[in-house]
Amino acid sequence: MKELEERIKKDGRVLGKDVLKVDSFLNHQIDPMLMEKMGEEFYEHFKDAGINKILTVESSGIAPAVMTGLKFQVPVVFARKHKSVTLSDDLYSSEVYSFTKKTSNHISIAKKYLSSDDKVLIIDDFLANGQAVNGLNTIIEAAGADLAGIGIVIEKSFQKGRQMIDKSGIPIYSLARITAFENGQVVFGEEDD
Ligand code: 5GP
C-alpha cells in the first residue's frame, strides 16, 4: 500500500536494529483516514473468504481491526492482555511473548464471542516473530473456529513470523513489507498480491 509506505518513510522512526516506531499515526495518535483505507485494502483482499469475525489483540490492533470490521460489516473481538489471570472456564487463553516489551502476556477471549461457527480474519499492527498471531491461533483452535486469513499492517519480513505463516499455508496479506533497516532508513520489499 503506497500511501502507508510513504507515511512510514515520512513519520516512522527506526529504533535499534529491529523496532519501528509509528506513534504518530498507528500506535498512539491514530490517523483514522489512513485506518479507513487500510480497512478497505484488507476487505478487497479477503472479501471472498467468507469471513464473519475479525480478531485482534489489544491495544494497537484495535484501530485497523475495527475499520476492517466496518468494511466487512462483521463484529470485531480483541483479545485482552493480563499479566496474570485467575483461571476461568469462560475464557479461551494463551501465552504471548511480547517482542517490544520482552515480557510474556496472558491473552484471553470470552468463550461467548468465538465459536465453531466463526470464520476468522486476524488483523494486527505488526508482524515480527509471529507470537501474537500464534497466540490468537491457539485460541481459534480451542474454540473450533476456522482461521481464514491474516492481515498485517506492517510486516518486518526479516524476522521469523512471515516465514512461519507461509509454511503453515494460512493466507497472509501485509500492507507494508519491510525487508531491512539500513542506517536508520526503512527498506521495503515487494508488495503482497
Ligand atoms: P510478534 O508477536 O509477531 O513477534 O510481534 C508483533 C507484536 O509486537 C505486534 O502486535 C506489535 O504490538 C509488537 N511489535 C513488533 N514489532 C514492532 C515494531 O517494530 N514496532 C512496534 N511499534 N510494535 C511492534
Side-chain angles (χ1 to χ4, degrees):
M1 185 180 171
K2 276 282 160 273
E3 188 176 343
L4 175 62
E5 290 187 3
E6 292 305 321
R7 192 63 179 271
I8 293 169
K9 274 192 206 152
K10 184 166 145 292
D11 292 336
R13 274 207 303 129
V14 177
L15 298 183
K17 58 180 178 38
D18 52 14
V19 173
L20 181 68
K21 209 165 160 105
V22 283
D23 271 20
S24 65
F25 63 93
L26 182 59
N27 292 135
H28 191 17
Q29 173 171 263
I30 291 170
D31 178 341
M33 287 69 77
L34 183 60
M35 291 300 138
E36 186 179 22
K37 288 176 189 159
M38 291 177 187
E40 267 159 16
E41 285 275 325
F42 286 131
Y43 175 72
E44 277 306 314
H45 188 83
F46 288 110
K47 65 181 177 210
D48 299 323
I51 284 149
N52 70 336
K53 197 158 279 184
I54 312 289
L55 230 62
T56 189
V57 186
E58 69 175 354
S59 56
S60 300
I62 296 176
V66 166
M67 287 305 186
T68 309
L70 189 61
K71 299 295 160 190
F72 276 92
Q73 295 279 291
V74 301
V76 178
V77 181
F78 63 90
R80 292 192 153 144
K81 287 177 185 164
H82 312 269
K83 276 255 143 51
S84 66
V85 78
T86 39
L87 284 180
S88 164
D89 288 346
D90 307 329
L91 300 173
Y92 295 117
S93 305
S94 67
E95 232 23 76
V96 171
Y97 182 77
S98 164
F99 174 75
T100 42
K101 306 216 165 75
K102 312 286 180 216
T103 55
S104 217
N105 275 309
H106 207 80
I107 63 163
S108 61
I109 287 179
K111 285 186 178 171
K112 63 180 168 187
Y113 296 129
L114 193 63
S115 77
S116 55
D117 297 333
D118 288 326
K119 203 154 184 199
V120 174
L121 174 63
I122 289 178
I123 297 287
D124 206 5
D125 61 337
F126 273 91
L127 177 65
N129 292 322
Q131 295 285 308
V133 165
N134 264 345
L136 285 173
N137 197 18
T138 302
I139 286 176
I140 289 166
E141 281 174 4
D146 187 13
L147 176 55
I150 298 166
I152 299 291
V153 177
I154 303 173
E155 170 189 310
K156 290 179 293 177
S157 316
F158 55 88
Q159 292 179 285
K160 291 187 197 132
R162 176 64 189 231
Q163 223 185 347
M164 181 198 79
I165 294 166
D166 280 343
K167 262 194 205 142
S168 75
I170 300 161
I172 172 167
Y173 180 55
S174 300
L175 301 184
R177 304 186 68 197
I178 296 174
T179 50
F181 295 140
E182 277 174 14
N183 306 320
Q185 300 297 309
V186 178
V187 181
F188 292 102
E190 275 193 26
E191 288 188 34
D192 271 329
D193 4 88

